[in-house]
Amino acid sequence: MSELKTLLGQWICKKDASTHPGLLTDSDIHNIAVAIQEGISETVSADGHREWGKLRDLTRGWLVQQKPGTEPGPLQTHDFERLGSLVVTETPEPTPSHDVSEAPATVPDTENVPPLQVDAKNDAALFFAREHLERCL
């Protein structure tokens, strides 16, 4: 979540008409992260879009200046998608909690593994990571 926290920590937000613009608090960032996780777990509509219900409700009425020198405005679906892609790329794979010395030495069966299905949006998000790995190897 460090990348998400770094991004959101730069946002200046006016949450409603009675508050002054200010940086998001750790509590705000946590609430946004929880809402993003719920949005990711939502079913995707027939046209391939998520509703981002809780995140949309949480940020309703917010005016956000995402970068210095840019015009503040409400968050849009593309902003929710970008935040969601940050959370998806940072989610670690679950690791087994057993002792390695007790694990039997087995070779994984790679013949019956289905090919990885990657949609175009996630594939584009991983472009630079793949390029970096290719250069390192």
Side-chain angles (χ1 to χ4, degrees), residues 77-97:
T77 303
H78 63 86
D79 297 313
F80 300 148
E81 295 290 337
R82 188 178 84 202
L83 293 172
S85 70
L86 288 175
V87 171
V88 169
T89 59
E90 287 191 5
T91 304
E93 291 294 321
T95 57
S97 60

Side-chain angles (χ1 to χ4, degrees), residues 54-87:
K54 185 171 181 178
L55 185 57
R56 194 174 298 279
D57 291 341
L58 176 68
T59 60
R60 188 178 319 270
W62 287 15
L63 292 176
V64 179
Q65 182 180 20
Q66 296 182 20
K67 295 179 185 175
T70 61
E71 185 74 25
L75 294 175
Q76 304 294 323
T77 303
H78 63 86
D79 297 313
F80 300 148
E81 295 290 337
R82 188 178 84 202
L83 293 172
S85 70
L86 288 175
V87 171

